[in-house]
Amino acid sequence: MTYTFKLGNSTYKVDFEEKEGVSVFSVDGENKEIEFLRIDENTCSILVNNRSITVGIFREGKKIQVFHEGDLYEIEAISGRDVSKAEGTGSLHITAPMHSRVVKILKQQGDSVEVGDSVVVVEAMKMESELKASASGTIKEIKIKEGETVEKDSVLVALSDSE
């Protein structure tokens, strides 16, 4: 499973996989094997690199508070649709939030876009969604065609910075 989290002004993509009783986490491509044990509803024990770590985890909606060794970290879980918005100034890529079909391409290569402009319409689970630019710029490349099926996290449109 893949999750995206925002911590401060940084966004992290975390992949989680269970293998032979060990949890494998990949944070932005760096793999870590850990043993994970839930002690109670809000407390977890984690064994990583032969070191035991106990953390308190409190979740309310998309907000997650992690308490570890006297420090409190406030993390926000980001949905696939909101990932590029969480990347500070915005992402220069528009990506598929889930496995979907491209219904309509609303802009052409070379068009200027502003933050929030609709660029592509996709359909998944019988619902259409407009994917919007999260950064201002110029459409550098459209990597898809109308009617095409795309996988989750596929780059659909690349923008060049407006600077």
Side-chain angles (χ1 to χ4, degrees):
M1 278 190 139
T2 301
Y3 301 93
T4 304
F5 298 101
K6 181 176 180 184
L7 176 62
N9 291 326
S10 299
T11 302
Y12 300 93
K13 183 179 268 189
V14 178
D15 292 303
F16 169 77
E17 186 178 351
E18 193 72 38
K19 284 185 178 177
E20 300 171 13
V22 175
S23 301
V24 178
F25 283 85
S26 173
V27 179
D28 289 338
E30 183 180 328
N31 289 337
K32 291 279 185 194
E33 287 188 3
I34 68 168
E35 291 183 40
F36 181 89
L37 176 65
R38 184 170 295 279
I39 297 170
D40 62 32
E41 183 180 349
N42 296 324
T43 310
C44 295
S45 177
I46 301 168
L47 184 63
V48 61
N49 296 334
N50 293 322
R51 183 171 168 235
S52 179
I53 300 169
T54 301
V55 295
I57 301 172
F58 305 92
R59 183 173 184 162
E60 187 174 310
K62 291 184 173 186
K63 302 290 183 191
I64 303 165
Q65 293 180 322
V66 178
F67 188 75
H68 171 61
E69 293 183 351
D71 292 321
L72 179 65
Y73 301 92
E74 302 233 354
I75 301 169
E76 182 179 355
I78 306 294
S79 68
R81 182 174 295 172
D82 295 333
V83 168
S84 60
K85 291 179 191 173
E87 293 175 347
T89 60
S91 174
L92 293 176
H93 293 107
I94 296 172
T95 60
M98 64 182 67
H99 181 82
S100 49
R101 183 180 62 84
V102 177
V103 174
K104 186 157 183 69
I105 301 169
L106 303 172
K107 301 287 184 179
Q108 296 179 8
Q109 188 170 328
D111 286 355
S112 292
V113 293
E114 297 295 322
V115 173
D117 286 355
S118 296
V119 179
V120 177
V121 178
V122 295
E123 184 261 333
M125 298 185 298
K126 299 182 182 179
M127 293 180 58
E128 290 188 0
S129 299
E130 287 188 6
L131 303 183
K132 302 177 184 290
S134 62
S136 297
T138 303
I139 296 183
K140 180 169 67 173
E141 184 180 7
I142 298 174
K143 299 178 175 250
I144 39 90
K145 294 179 175 46
E146 289 181 4
E148 184 176 348
T149 300
V150 294
E151 295 297 319
K152 181 181 191 264
D153 297 328
S154 299
V155 175
L156 309 179
V157 176
L159 303 175
S160 59
D161 210 340
S162 60
E163 295 177 22

